[in-house]
């Protein structure tokens, strides 16, 4: 748990592929100057605002929970597991690639900049709307499900040959 800025500049990374880094300060930055740096999970606690930055533009996480605010800026963020948002998640101008489920709890919000969000899992949301200037690409290899309460998605690309369905029905959307 840290309440200050975190900067990672040279291997080995302090929590590579294991453990959880919790941000619990007010305004913090998470800077990585490692290309394709593989980290464990991160948690952005309530009241915390974290911005990703770095010169190699690549954050690889095992999982992510956002109850505060996270701004990916222009970074590439890859998450091999799931993402849970009950705070504010801003995707900025970079690319976010989530290979697990993307859950946005009631009270959570997602603001997509002109970047992209690739999702291989299900999109589970409780009555939220996306502010989307970018592109949501559904690229799973199995049937993906969108909650029936998801709306205002903006540009959506279905790159899943199996299909996408609404949670309340079994008819694929595409």
């Amino acid at each position: 748990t840290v309440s200050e800025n975190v900067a990672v500049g040279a291997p080995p990374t302090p929590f590579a592929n294991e453990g959880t880094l919790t941000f619990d300060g007010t305004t913090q930055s998470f800077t990585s100057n490692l290309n394709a740096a593989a980290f464990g999970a991160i948690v952005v606690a309530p009241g915390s605002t974290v911005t990703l930055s770095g010169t190699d533009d690549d954050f690889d996480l095992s999982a992510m929970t956002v109850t505060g605010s996270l701004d990916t800026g222009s970074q590439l963020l890859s998450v091999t597991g799931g993402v849970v948002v009950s705070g504010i998640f801003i995707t900025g101008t970079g690319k976010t690639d989530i290979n697990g489920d993307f859950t946005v709890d009631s009270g959570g919000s997602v603001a997509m900049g002109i970047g992209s969000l690739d999702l291989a899992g299900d999109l589970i949301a409780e009555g939220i709307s996306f502010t989307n200037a970018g592109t949501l690409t559904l690229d799973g290899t199995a049937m993906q499900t969108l909650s029936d309460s998801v709306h205002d998605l903006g540009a959506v690309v279905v790159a899943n040959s199996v299909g996408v369905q609404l949670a309340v029905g079994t008819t694929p959307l595409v």
Side-chain angles (χ1 to χ4, degrees):
T1 300
V2 295
S3 56
E4 303 165 350
N5 294 333
V6 174
V8 180
T13 57
F15 60 111
N17 295 317
E18 59 185 59
T20 300
L21 177 62
T22 300
F23 291 92
D24 69 352
T26 52
T27 301
Q28 298 167 261
S29 65
F30 183 17
T31 304
S32 174
N33 295 318
L34 302 172
N35 190 23
F39 300 103
I42 66 167
V43 173
V44 180
S48 296
T49 299
V50 175
T51 302
L52 300 182
S53 63
T55 56
D56 289 316
D57 303 338
D58 198 348
F59 288 80
D60 293 335
L61 304 175
S62 61
M64 187 170 73
T65 302
V66 179
T67 54
S69 176
L70 176 69
D71 185 345
T72 64
S74 61
Q75 306 303 304
L76 168 61
L77 172 64
S78 299
V79 184
T80 57
V83 172
V84 176
V85 175
S86 57
I88 301 169
F89 181 53
I90 303 168
T91 62
T93 58
K95 176 180 178 178
T96 299
D97 187 9
I98 301 170
N99 291 304
D101 291 342
F102 185 27
T103 303
V104 183
D105 292 334
S106 180
S109 65
V110 177
M112 286 182 60
I114 60 173
S116 63
L117 172 62
D118 294 356
L119 178 63
D122 295 336
L123 178 56
I124 305 158
E126 297 178 2
I128 61 99
S129 64
F130 281 61
T131 303
N132 185 358
T135 301
L136 171 65
T137 301
L138 302 168
D139 62 359
T141 56
M143 179 66 73
Q144 287 177 265
T145 302
L146 299 180
S147 295
D148 61 334
S149 59
V150 174
H151 46 87
D152 297 336
L153 287 175
V156 177
V157 174
V158 177
N160 178 336
S161 62
V162 178
V164 176
Q165 67 185 5
L166 289 173
V168 295
T170 57
T171 305
L173 295 174
V174 192

